[in-house]
Short mmCIF file of all heavy atoms in Angstrom, two decimals:
data_model
loop_
_atom_site.label_atom_id
_atom_site.label_comp_id
_atom_site.label_asym_id
_atom_site.label_seq_id
_atom_site.Cartn_x
_atom_site.Cartn_y
_atom_site.Cartn_z
N ALA A 40 66.00 -15.98 88.00
CA ALA A 40 66.57 -16.12 86.63
C ALA A 40 65.48 -16.51 85.66
O ALA A 40 65.40 -15.97 84.52
CB ALA A 40 67.62 -17.24 86.69
N LEU A 41 64.61 -17.43 86.03
CA LEU A 41 63.51 -17.81 85.13
C LEU A 41 62.55 -16.63 84.93
O LEU A 41 62.01 -16.49 83.80
CB LEU A 41 62.78 -18.99 85.72
CG LEU A 41 63.55 -20.32 85.78
CD1 LEU A 41 62.77 -21.38 86.53
CD2 LEU A 41 63.92 -20.78 84.37
N ALA A 42 62.32 -15.85 85.91
CA ALA A 42 61.45 -14.66 85.77
C ALA A 42 62.04 -13.70 84.77
O ALA A 42 61.37 -13.12 83.94
CB ALA A 42 61.20 -14.01 87.11
N GLU A 43 63.38 -13.50 84.81
CA GLU A 43 64.04 -12.59 83.88
C GLU A 43 63.97 -13.11 82.50
O GLU A 43 63.79 -12.39 81.54
CB GLU A 43 65.49 -12.39 84.29
CG GLU A 43 65.70 -11.52 85.53
CD GLU A 43 65.27 -10.08 85.32
OE1 GLU A 43 65.25 -9.64 84.21
OE2 GLU A 43 64.97 -9.42 86.35
N LEU A 44 64.11 -14.41 82.29
CA LEU A 44 64.02 -15.03 80.98
C LEU A 44 62.63 -14.91 80.34
O LEU A 44 62.47 -14.67 79.16
CB LEU A 44 64.41 -16.49 81.03
CG LEU A 44 65.90 -16.83 81.05
CD1 LEU A 44 66.10 -18.25 81.38
CD2 LEU A 44 66.54 -16.43 79.75
N ASN A 45 61.61 -14.97 81.22
CA ASN A 45 60.22 -14.77 80.72
C ASN A 45 59.90 -13.30 80.40
O ASN A 45 59.10 -13.03 79.55
CB ASN A 45 59.26 -15.28 81.80
CG ASN A 45 59.16 -16.81 81.80
OD1 ASN A 45 59.32 -17.42 80.79
ND2 ASN A 45 58.87 -17.35 82.92
N LYS A 46 60.58 -12.38 81.13
CA LYS A 46 60.26 -10.96 81.06
C LYS A 46 61.07 -10.29 79.94
O LYS A 46 60.60 -9.33 79.31
CB LYS A 46 60.55 -10.31 82.39
CG LYS A 46 60.15 -8.84 82.47
CD LYS A 46 60.20 -8.34 83.91
CE LYS A 46 61.58 -8.47 84.50
NZ LYS A 46 61.68 -7.90 85.86
N ASN A 47 62.33 -10.66 79.74
CA ASN A 47 63.25 -9.95 78.88
C ASN A 47 63.83 -10.85 77.75
O ASN A 47 63.83 -12.06 77.90
CB ASN A 47 64.42 -9.32 79.66
CG ASN A 47 63.97 -8.35 80.71
OD1 ASN A 47 63.39 -7.36 80.40
ND2 ASN A 47 64.21 -8.66 82.00
N THR A 48 64.27 -10.24 76.70
CA THR A 48 65.02 -10.92 75.66
C THR A 48 66.47 -10.99 76.09
O THR A 48 67.14 -10.00 76.13
CB THR A 48 64.90 -10.18 74.33
OG1 THR A 48 63.52 -10.15 73.93
CG2 THR A 48 65.67 -10.97 73.24
N ILE A 49 66.90 -12.18 76.44
CA ILE A 49 68.28 -12.41 76.94
C ILE A 49 69.13 -13.07 75.81
O ILE A 49 68.72 -14.01 75.20
CB ILE A 49 68.25 -13.32 78.18
CG1 ILE A 49 67.37 -12.69 79.26
CG2 ILE A 49 69.69 -13.59 78.67
CD1 ILE A 49 67.87 -11.36 79.79
N ASP A 50 70.31 -12.50 75.59
CA ASP A 50 71.14 -12.98 74.54
C ASP A 50 72.23 -13.96 75.02
O ASP A 50 72.76 -14.74 74.19
CB ASP A 50 71.83 -11.81 73.87
CG ASP A 50 70.82 -10.87 73.22
OD1 ASP A 50 70.14 -11.32 72.26
OD2 ASP A 50 70.77 -9.70 73.62
N CYS A 51 72.55 -13.91 76.32
CA CYS A 51 73.53 -14.85 76.85
C CYS A 51 73.37 -14.84 78.39
O CYS A 51 73.00 -13.82 78.99
CB CYS A 51 74.94 -14.39 76.52
SG CYS A 51 76.29 -15.45 77.11
N ILE A 52 73.63 -16.01 78.98
CA ILE A 52 73.52 -16.15 80.48
C ILE A 52 74.89 -16.54 81.02
O ILE A 52 75.52 -17.46 80.52
CB ILE A 52 72.52 -17.23 80.84
CG1 ILE A 52 71.12 -16.90 80.26
CG2 ILE A 52 72.43 -17.37 82.37
CD1 ILE A 52 70.09 -18.03 80.53
N VAL A 53 75.33 -15.79 82.01
CA VAL A 53 76.48 -16.15 82.78
C VAL A 53 75.95 -16.78 84.08
O VAL A 53 75.35 -16.07 84.89
CB VAL A 53 77.42 -14.96 83.08
CG1 VAL A 53 78.60 -15.38 83.91
CG2 VAL A 53 77.90 -14.29 81.79
N LEU A 54 76.16 -18.08 84.25
CA LEU A 54 75.44 -18.85 85.28
C LEU A 54 76.39 -19.53 86.23
O LEU A 54 77.20 -20.34 85.89
CB LEU A 54 74.58 -19.88 84.54
CG LEU A 54 73.81 -20.85 85.38
CD1 LEU A 54 72.84 -20.13 86.33
CD2 LEU A 54 73.04 -21.88 84.49
N ASP A 55 76.22 -19.15 87.52
CA ASP A 55 76.97 -19.78 88.59
C ASP A 55 76.52 -21.17 88.77
O ASP A 55 75.33 -21.50 88.69
CB ASP A 55 76.77 -18.97 89.87
CG ASP A 55 77.56 -19.57 91.04
OD1 ASP A 55 78.63 -20.18 90.78
OD2 ASP A 55 77.13 -19.40 92.18
N VAL A 56 77.45 -22.11 89.01
CA VAL A 56 77.11 -23.50 89.17
C VAL A 56 76.57 -23.76 90.63
O VAL A 56 75.53 -24.36 90.81
CB VAL A 56 78.31 -24.44 88.90
CG1 VAL A 56 78.03 -25.87 89.27
CG2 VAL A 56 78.66 -24.37 87.45
N MET A 57 77.36 -23.35 91.60
CA MET A 57 77.03 -23.66 92.98
C MET A 57 76.16 -22.57 93.64
O MET A 57 76.68 -21.54 94.08
CB MET A 57 78.30 -23.83 93.78
CG MET A 57 79.23 -24.95 93.24
SD MET A 57 78.42 -26.58 93.16
CE MET A 57 78.24 -26.93 94.88
N MET A 58 74.86 -22.77 93.62
CA MET A 58 73.94 -21.88 94.27
C MET A 58 73.09 -22.67 95.23
O MET A 58 72.82 -23.87 95.04
CB MET A 58 73.02 -21.21 93.25
CG MET A 58 73.72 -20.26 92.31
SD MET A 58 72.60 -19.34 91.24
CE MET A 58 71.95 -20.69 90.23
N PRO A 59 72.63 -22.02 96.32
CA PRO A 59 71.74 -22.72 97.25
C PRO A 59 70.43 -23.09 96.57
O PRO A 59 69.97 -22.38 95.67
CB PRO A 59 71.51 -21.69 98.41
CG PRO A 59 71.82 -20.39 97.77
CD PRO A 59 72.88 -20.66 96.74
N GLY A 60 69.83 -24.20 96.97
CA GLY A 60 68.62 -24.67 96.35
C GLY A 60 68.94 -25.31 95.03
O GLY A 60 69.92 -26.14 94.93
N GLN A 61 68.27 -24.92 93.95
CA GLN A 61 68.55 -25.47 92.67
C GLN A 61 69.86 -24.91 92.12
O GLN A 61 70.09 -23.72 92.05
CB GLN A 61 67.39 -25.15 91.68
CG GLN A 61 67.48 -25.87 90.31
CD GLN A 61 66.35 -25.51 89.43
OE1 GLN A 61 65.93 -24.39 89.34
NE2 GLN A 61 65.78 -26.53 88.77
N ASN A 62 70.83 -25.79 91.74
CA ASN A 62 72.08 -25.28 91.28
C ASN A 62 72.07 -24.92 89.80
O ASN A 62 71.07 -25.13 89.11
CB ASN A 62 73.20 -26.32 91.60
CG ASN A 62 73.05 -27.62 90.84
OD1 ASN A 62 72.61 -27.66 89.71
ND2 ASN A 62 73.37 -28.72 91.49
N GLY A 63 73.21 -24.45 89.31
CA GLY A 63 73.27 -24.01 87.92
C GLY A 63 73.05 -25.11 86.91
O GLY A 63 72.46 -24.86 85.84
N PHE A 64 73.55 -26.31 87.20
CA PHE A 64 73.33 -27.43 86.27
C PHE A 64 71.83 -27.75 86.13
O PHE A 64 71.37 -27.96 85.02
CB PHE A 64 74.08 -28.72 86.77
CG PHE A 64 75.58 -28.60 86.72
CD1 PHE A 64 76.37 -29.16 87.73
CD2 PHE A 64 76.21 -27.96 85.65
CE1 PHE A 64 77.73 -29.09 87.61
CE2 PHE A 64 77.59 -27.88 85.58
CZ PHE A 64 78.32 -28.43 86.54
N GLU A 65 71.12 -27.71 87.24
CA GLU A 65 69.74 -28.00 87.22
C GLU A 65 68.91 -26.91 86.46
O GLU A 65 68.01 -27.19 85.73
CB GLU A 65 69.18 -28.15 88.62
CG GLU A 65 69.71 -29.43 89.37
CD GLU A 65 69.49 -29.39 90.85
OE1 GLU A 65 69.23 -28.28 91.41
OE2 GLU A 65 69.56 -30.41 91.49
N LEU A 66 69.38 -25.65 86.70
CA LEU A 66 68.74 -24.55 85.98
C LEU A 66 68.97 -24.65 84.53
O LEU A 66 68.06 -24.41 83.73
CB LEU A 66 69.24 -23.23 86.56
CG LEU A 66 68.72 -21.97 85.85
CD1 LEU A 66 67.20 -21.91 85.85
CD2 LEU A 66 69.30 -20.75 86.52
N CYS A 67 70.20 -25.00 84.09
CA CYS A 67 70.49 -25.14 82.71
C CYS A 67 69.65 -26.22 82.02
O CYS A 67 69.16 -26.01 80.93
CB CYS A 67 72.01 -25.52 82.54
SG CYS A 67 72.51 -25.80 80.81
N ARG A 68 69.49 -27.30 82.72
CA ARG A 68 68.65 -28.42 82.19
C ARG A 68 67.25 -27.87 81.97
O ARG A 68 66.56 -28.19 80.93
CB ARG A 68 68.63 -29.61 83.15
CG ARG A 68 67.83 -30.79 82.60
CD ARG A 68 67.77 -31.93 83.61
NE ARG A 68 69.06 -32.56 83.83
CZ ARG A 68 69.77 -32.47 84.91
NH1 ARG A 68 69.33 -31.74 85.94
NH2 ARG A 68 70.91 -33.13 85.02
N GLN A 69 66.71 -27.11 82.91
CA GLN A 69 65.33 -26.56 82.78
C GLN A 69 65.23 -25.55 81.66
O GLN A 69 64.28 -25.60 80.89
CB GLN A 69 64.97 -25.90 84.12
CG GLN A 69 63.48 -25.51 84.17
CD GLN A 69 63.12 -25.03 85.58
OE1 GLN A 69 63.83 -25.18 86.54
NE2 GLN A 69 61.90 -24.47 85.68
N ILE A 70 66.22 -24.71 81.54
CA ILE A 70 66.22 -23.68 80.46
C ILE A 70 66.27 -24.37 79.08
O ILE A 70 65.54 -24.00 78.16
CB ILE A 70 67.41 -22.74 80.61
CG1 ILE A 70 67.25 -21.82 81.84
CG2 ILE A 70 67.59 -21.84 79.37
CD1 ILE A 70 68.43 -20.99 82.20
N ARG A 71 67.08 -25.39 78.96
CA ARG A 71 67.24 -26.08 77.65
C ARG A 71 66.01 -26.79 77.21
O ARG A 71 65.95 -27.19 76.05
CB ARG A 71 68.42 -27.01 77.73
CG ARG A 71 69.78 -26.39 77.62
CD ARG A 71 69.99 -25.77 76.24
NE ARG A 71 71.25 -25.04 76.09
CZ ARG A 71 71.33 -23.71 76.15
NH1 ARG A 71 70.23 -22.99 76.28
NH2 ARG A 71 72.49 -23.11 76.05
N MET A 72 65.05 -27.00 78.05
CA MET A 72 63.80 -27.63 77.61
C MET A 72 63.01 -26.68 76.72
O MET A 72 62.19 -27.11 75.91
CB MET A 72 62.96 -27.94 78.88
CG MET A 72 63.55 -29.04 79.72
SD MET A 72 62.62 -29.32 81.28
CE MET A 72 61.08 -29.97 80.62
N THR A 73 63.25 -25.32 76.83
CA THR A 73 62.45 -24.38 76.07
C THR A 73 63.28 -23.29 75.39
O THR A 73 62.73 -22.48 74.68
CB THR A 73 61.38 -23.70 76.93
OG1 THR A 73 62.06 -23.01 78.00
CG2 THR A 73 60.47 -24.71 77.55
N ASN A 74 64.61 -23.23 75.65
CA ASN A 74 65.32 -22.04 75.19
C ASN A 74 66.76 -22.44 74.77
O ASN A 74 67.40 -23.22 75.52
CB ASN A 74 65.38 -21.04 76.34
CG ASN A 74 65.71 -19.64 75.85
OD1 ASN A 74 66.60 -19.43 75.04
ND2 ASN A 74 65.03 -18.62 76.39
N ASN A 75 67.22 -21.92 73.68
CA ASN A 75 68.60 -22.16 73.19
C ASN A 75 69.55 -21.03 73.46
O ASN A 75 70.61 -20.96 72.83
CB ASN A 75 68.56 -22.48 71.70
CG ASN A 75 67.90 -23.82 71.44
OD1 ASN A 75 68.10 -24.78 72.17
ND2 ASN A 75 67.14 -23.86 70.34
N VAL A 76 69.22 -20.13 74.35
CA VAL A 76 70.05 -18.99 74.68
C VAL A 76 71.46 -19.52 75.09
O VAL A 76 71.58 -20.50 75.81
CB VAL A 76 69.45 -18.19 75.83
CG1 VAL A 76 69.28 -18.95 77.12
CG2 VAL A 76 70.29 -16.90 76.14
N PRO A 77 72.51 -18.88 74.65
CA PRO A 77 73.88 -19.32 75.04
C PRO A 77 74.05 -19.19 76.59
O PRO A 77 73.66 -18.21 77.16
CB PRO A 77 74.79 -18.35 74.35
CG PRO A 77 74.02 -17.86 73.15
CD PRO A 77 72.61 -17.80 73.64
N ILE A 78 74.69 -20.23 77.14
CA ILE A 78 74.95 -20.29 78.57
C ILE A 78 76.44 -20.47 78.85
O ILE A 78 77.02 -21.45 78.32
CB ILE A 78 74.11 -21.41 79.25
CG1 ILE A 78 72.63 -21.13 79.11
CG2 ILE A 78 74.52 -21.57 80.74
CD1 ILE A 78 71.77 -22.30 79.63
N LEU A 79 76.98 -19.58 79.68
CA LEU A 79 78.40 -19.71 80.05
C LEU A 79 78.41 -20.05 81.56
O LEU A 79 77.98 -19.20 82.36
CB LEU A 79 79.15 -18.40 79.76
CG LEU A 79 80.68 -18.39 79.91
CD1 LEU A 79 81.29 -17.30 79.07
CD2 LEU A 79 81.09 -18.19 81.35
N PHE A 80 78.86 -21.22 81.90
CA PHE A 80 78.96 -21.58 83.32
C PHE A 80 80.11 -20.88 84.00
O PHE A 80 81.22 -20.76 83.42
CB PHE A 80 79.12 -23.13 83.49
CG PHE A 80 77.84 -23.87 83.29
CD1 PHE A 80 77.65 -24.71 82.21
CD2 PHE A 80 76.81 -23.75 84.25
CE1 PHE A 80 76.48 -25.45 82.09
CE2 PHE A 80 75.70 -24.51 84.12
CZ PHE A 80 75.53 -25.34 83.04
N LEU A 81 79.88 -20.42 85.23
CA LEU A 81 80.92 -19.76 86.02
C LEU A 81 80.97 -20.56 87.32
O LEU A 81 79.98 -20.67 88.01
CB LEU A 81 80.52 -18.33 86.34
CG LEU A 81 81.58 -17.43 87.00
CD1 LEU A 81 82.80 -17.29 86.14
CD2 LEU A 81 80.99 -16.02 87.27
N SER A 82 82.14 -21.13 87.64
CA SER A 82 82.21 -22.00 88.80
C SER A 82 83.57 -21.86 89.55
O SER A 82 84.62 -21.58 88.91
CB SER A 82 82.06 -23.47 88.34
OG SER A 82 82.15 -24.35 89.47
N ALA A 83 83.49 -22.09 90.81
CA ALA A 83 84.73 -22.15 91.63
C ALA A 83 85.44 -23.46 91.40
O ALA A 83 86.58 -23.71 91.77
CB ALA A 83 84.41 -21.98 93.08
#
Side-chain angles (χ1 to χ4, degrees):
L41 293 174
E43 288 295 336
L44 280 170
N45 284 329
K46 184 171 60 176
N47 298 299
T48 299
I49 302 298
D50 299 297
C51 180
I52 301 174
V53 179
L54 177 58
D55 181 28
V56 172
M57 302 302 292
M58 293 187 293
Q61 189 178 44
N62 64 36
F64 290 144
E65 293 165 341
L66 177 57
C67 178
R68 183 185 290 110
Q69 187 172 351
I70 291 171
R71 281 292 176 258
M72 293 174 66
T73 60
N74 198 319
N75 289 322
V76 60
I78 295 175
L79 189 156
F80 280 113
L81 188 62
S82 177

